[in-house]
């Protein structure tokens, strides 16, 4: 006959504490002395006890999972997004180092708490309703939302349903949800100041999608700083946060401004594309054209030359997003709040 699975009573005897104390530790109740918690955890390891997750959920009313939702591709109101378009959206998400950093920050916060993310895509009205229904039915304790569309309706749907959710970046429309963000305007200012300090005088920029608030803020900070230093007209070409869009935008800038000597791009992927185009046009980086990116992603150190860039602490921002959600779920935080991080210039070889 197979050996009976260890019980709470077995753990209690092993640890020399009451069954109620073991139950509080297993269910994450926070008023247990840390030394007692450690004693119980060691007893759990020795006995091999595994909590019944279904029973635990009945006690705690928590699933130990949160939904990590990437939302808002294409037309936010279009119900007829094809499977191919949805698959292409997912492929773009996984190819972007930014999203990998978000996942790393979220998992870094959740893992020590024995919690896990469930990845969901919400790029159509139907899939957005699926996210809301999943949360309402208790599939996850709350949602961490990374939106890629300025008019994304999902935050308002979550808020209207009274579901715990925290957003990465300030939403395009005011909603009563907590969010984390970056001082993007300051990031643009840091890039402008560095190019000016290098002696650049014919400066241009490849902006991110101008429908996105972060792109607008980075561009505004860059242009305002240059204007204060006597450069009121800054050529702008719009990209799409991809390598290819950076190449197209830089090619357009060079056609109209072949003598440019400084370039700021809205993210590192577009900077990589810009460096390639400059090289193809016989322009040396940074000797002929200094290039500054944005994000400080893995691209920044694999690009040649290595990119000078404005660092966005994505991992820390994502971990803070997960912490805020935890506080909302547990009731320790009831009102929405915002946490805005400061960017930092990281100087390498491209400028």
């Amino acid at each position: 006959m197979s050996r009976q699975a260890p019980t709470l009573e077995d753990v209690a005897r092993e640890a020399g504490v009451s069954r109620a104390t073991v139950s509080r530790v297993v269910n994450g109740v926070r008023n247990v002395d840390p030394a007692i918690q450690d004693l119980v955890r060691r007893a759990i390891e020795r006995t091999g006890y595994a909590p019944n997750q279904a029973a635990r959920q009945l006690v705690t009313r928590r699933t130990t999972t949160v939904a990590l939702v990437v939302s808002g591709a294409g037309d936010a109101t279009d119900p007829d997004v094809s499977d191919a378009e949805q698959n292409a959206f997912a492929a773009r998400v996984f190819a972007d180092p930014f999203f990998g950093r978000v996942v790393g920050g979220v998992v870094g916060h959740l893992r020590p708490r024995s919690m896990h993310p469930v990845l969901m895509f919400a790029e159509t009205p139907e899939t957005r309703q699926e996210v809301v229904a999943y949360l309402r039915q208790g599939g996850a304790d709350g949602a961490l939302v990374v939106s890629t569309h300025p008019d994304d309706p999902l935050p308002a749907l979550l808020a209207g349903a009274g579901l715990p959710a925290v957003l990465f970046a300030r939403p395009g429309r005011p909603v009563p949800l907590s969010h984390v963000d970056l001082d993007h305007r300051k990031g643009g200012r840091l890039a402008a100041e560095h190019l000016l300090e290098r002696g650049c005088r014919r400066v241009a920029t490849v902006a991110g999608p101008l429908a996105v608030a972060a792109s607008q803020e980075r561009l505004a900070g860059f242009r305002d700083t240059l204007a204060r230093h006597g450069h009121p007209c800054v050529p702008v070409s719009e990209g799409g946060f991809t390598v290819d869009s950076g190449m197209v935008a830089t090619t357009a800038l060079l056609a109209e401004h072949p003598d440019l000597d400084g370039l700021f791009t809205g993210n590192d992927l577009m900077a990589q594309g810009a460096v390639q185009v400059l090289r193809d046009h016989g322009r040396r980086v940074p000797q002929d054209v200094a290039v500054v990116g944005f994000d400080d992603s893995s691209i920044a150190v694999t690009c040649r030359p290595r990119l000078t860039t404005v660092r966005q602490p994505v991992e820390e921002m994502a971990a803070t997003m997960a912490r805020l959600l935890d506080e909302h779920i547990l009731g320790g935080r009831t009102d929405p709040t915002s946490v805005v991080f400061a960017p930092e210039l990281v100087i390498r070889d491209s400028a």
Side-chain angles (χ1 to χ4, degrees), residues 2-351:
S2 61
R3 179 178 178 271
Q4 186 176 358
T7 65
L8 282 177
E9 287 79 4
D10 296 329
V11 177
R13 281 194 298 271
E14 180 71 20
V17 299
S18 70
R19 182 186 187 282
T21 297
V22 174
S23 179
R24 287 199 297 272
V25 173
V26 169
N27 291 317
V29 178
R30 300 194 175 193
N31 63 348
V32 181
D33 182 270
I36 298 297
Q37 292 185 41
D38 186 58
L39 187 69
V40 171
R41 290 187 181 116
R42 289 202 302 270
I44 288 173
E45 291 177 2
R46 290 195 297 271
T47 60
Y49 172 73
N52 183 306
Q53 292 300 320
R56 180 177 178 181
Q57 184 175 348
L58 287 174
V59 174
T60 64
R61 297 189 179 184
R62 296 193 64 176
T63 65
T64 70
T65 63
V66 298
L68 177 56
V69 187
V70 184
S71 176
D75 184 350
T77 62
D78 182 6
D80 298 319
V81 178
S82 68
D83 289 343
E85 290 173 313
Q86 294 183 49
N87 291 337
F89 170 58
R92 287 195 301 273
V93 168
F94 287 123
D96 192 330
F98 170 84
F99 181 70
R101 296 175 66 192
V102 170
V103 172
V106 167
V107 171
H109 176 85
L110 296 180
R111 181 183 290 149
R113 293 158 180 80
S114 299
M115 299 182 68
H116 311 280
V118 175
L119 179 61
M120 304 184 75
F121 292 101
E123 65 277 24
T124 66
E126 180 182 13
T127 52
R128 278 186 277 276
Q129 290 297 337
E130 287 176 359
V131 169
V132 173
Y134 183 75
L135 293 167
R136 277 179 164 161
Q137 293 164 8
D141 296 321
L144 301 168
V145 181
V146 182
S147 182
T148 63
H149 196 289
D151 296 320
D152 184 5
L154 181 61
L157 291 174
L158 294 169
L163 295 166
V166 180
L167 313 177
F168 194 106
R170 175 170 54 89
R173 302 171 182 173
V175 291
L177 295 177
S178 294
H179 71 266
V180 300
D181 207 346
L182 185 79
D183 187 345
H184 297 281
R185 189 175 290 254
K186 181 180 179 182
R189 174 169 61 81
L190 291 173
E193 290 173 346
H194 183 68
L195 290 173
L196 290 171
E197 288 170 2
R198 281 189 55 91
C200 298
R201 293 297 177 264
R202 297 175 299 281
V203 180
T205 180
V206 174
L210 294 179
V212 177
S215 299
Q216 297 171 13
E217 290 293 302
R218 293 172 193 179
L219 177 60
F222 187 71
R223 297 175 84 172
D224 289 349
T225 302
L226 287 168
R228 287 197 302 271
H229 288 81
H231 301 274
C233 297
V234 179
V236 179
S237 186
E238 184 178 2
F241 287 148
T242 64
V243 173
D244 288 345
S245 71
M247 296 179 71
V248 171
T250 303
T251 300
L253 284 172
L254 284 174
E256 295 186 14
H257 308 278
D259 61 343
L260 69 86
D261 61 1
L263 184 65
F264 169 51
T265 67
N267 78 342
D268 292 339
L269 286 170
M270 294 193 299
Q272 184 181 36
V275 168
Q276 179 62 53
V277 168
L278 290 168
R279 183 183 298 118
D280 291 345
H281 283 73
R283 311 296 298 277
R284 298 170 300 166
V285 178
Q287 294 90 338
D288 301 323
V289 182
V291 176
V292 176
F294 203 106
D295 280 339
D296 195 27
S297 64
S298 58
I299 299 297
V301 292
T302 58
C303 184
R304 291 294 178 268
R306 298 181 308 155
L307 293 175
T308 291
T309 186
V310 177
R311 175 167 175 76
Q312 180 173 202
V314 174
E315 294 86 354
E316 186 179 351
M317 294 168 70
T320 298
M321 179 172 64
R323 175 180 60 78
L324 290 175
L325 180 63
D326 207 27
E327 292 174 1
H328 282 298
I329 292 169
L330 294 172
R333 183 181 296 276
T334 55
D335 296 328
T337 189
S338 59
V339 180
V340 180
F341 288 77
E344 176 187 356
L345 183 71
V346 180
I347 300 175
R348 295 193 180 94
D349 306 325
S350 67

